Amino acid sequence: MKTGSKRSGVLEHSGHDYEKLLARWESLIKRIGWKCSLLSEESALPVLVIQNEAAAEARGGGCYLSAGVHGDECAPVWGLLEWAEAHLANMKSSPVVIFPCLNPYGLIGNTRRDGQGIDLNRSFQDVGVPLIASWQEFLEGRSFDVGINLHEDYDAGGVYLYELTRSESRGEACLAACEGIIPRETADVVDGSDFENGLLKRETSEIEMRRLVNEELDGWPEGVYLYLNHVKDSFTFETPSEANLEKRIATHRCFLEAIIGA
Ligand SMILES: [Zn+2]
């Protein structure tokens, strides 16, 4: 057997190894020459933001990607990295901003919340959280065509997608691209919301969306905050965290290829 070859999605270490994750991002950034800055260093753990030149010049458009908001959902951070290692070198003309892991404390400890016990995905409006204050500051004045947040769900049996859109829906096509690796969630209700064949699509007005967040959610998820402030279309993609890790990583990569292009 050939040694040194690496099959897609296979990790030779724990999915919660933040040092290895950073080392691979750093080596990629060095190779392609993108800009990497420190968003925050809470608990001595660096939180990085990576962008290409087009994004640093603050042109509008392009895409925003993030993973690792919930630390007990480890496949997204590796799926995003794998996709980036395969495709970022070719993505020069359109702005790209990437948050590779917004909650390293949670990733290392395999916990949903951050070091202060906060569920970041209900806190993206809260500038009292230092990380969120830095995140909002970084995004000030920026707008993107697409925002993508990668998550997992330990109650789910299949993949599913929240799509908040002002454009023609692409959710169905993206789920179809992924279901060969992990099938779609079959439940009609997921986490209290109505889904159809793994897709929850909202073309809700901004006023209605704000009412929904204020009355029904206990704080602002990243995808909703982005939709109301910084992106035209917002996608939050979920894999079932009890499924095989290799397949979950491959599914996140596949989702990104479906939505952004390979
Ligand atoms: Zn999550």
Side-chain angles (χ1 to χ4, degrees), residues 70 73 112 121 151-152 238:
H70 289 143
E73 305 167 6
R112 179 179 176 91
N121 215 32
H151 282 261
E152 299 201 275
E238 310 250 359

Side-chain angles (χ1 to χ4, degrees), residues 92-253:
K92 294 192 183 110
S93 52
S94 180
V96 181
V97 167
I98 300 174
F99 294 90
C101 180
L102 277 168
N103 179 9
Y105 173 91
L107 185 78
I108 292 165
N110 192 15
T111 62
R112 179 179 176 91
R113 292 166 186 266
D114 77 352
Q116 273 67 52
I118 294 166
D119 183 344
L120 290 175
N121 215 32
R122 295 290 180 274
S123 308
F124 278 88
Q125 83 293 359
D126 186 356
V127 289
V129 179
L131 177 76
I132 300 298
S134 308
W135 178 84
Q136 286 198 8
E137 196 182 320
F138 177 88
L139 288 175
E140 182 127 25
R142 293 179 188 244
S143 62
F144 303 88
D145 292 329
V146 180
I148 300 169
N149 310 126
L150 303 175
H151 282 261
E152 299 201 275
D153 181 344
Y154 58 80
D155 286 325
V159 299
Y160 64 91
L161 176 65
Y162 296 92
E163 178 179 24
L164 305 173
T165 183
R166 297 180 175 93
S167 315
E168 202 171 318
S169 171
R170 285 185 282 165
E172 174 55 37
C174 292
L175 284 168
C178 296
E179 66 188 338
I181 311 172
I182 297 179
R184 297 184 202 212
E185 173 63 44
T186 53
D188 294 334
V189 177
V190 182
D191 228 356
S193 300
D194 292 331
F195 275 74
E196 202 180 322
N197 210 8
L199 180 62
L200 186 158
K201 187 176 58 180
R202 283 194 210 276
E203 289 143 313
T204 321
S205 73
E206 293 188 19
I207 294 167
E208 173 63 10
M209 187 66 77
R210 283 179 197 277
R211 187 202 62 77
L212 204 80
V213 177
N214 291 328
E215 292 176 13
E216 295 182 23
L217 290 176
D218 189 20
W220 291 59
E222 186 180 15
V224 173
Y225 187 93
L226 287 171
Y227 182 69
L228 289 176
N229 295 285
H230 298 288
V231 308
K232 191 160 75 166
D233 302 324
S234 171
F235 297 86
T236 301
F237 180 63
E238 310 250 359
T239 50
S241 56
E242 294 296 305
N244 170 279
L245 177 60
E246 184 180 338
K247 283 189 177 178
R248 285 149 53 206
I249 293 171
T251 307
H252 281 282
R253 174 176 171 174

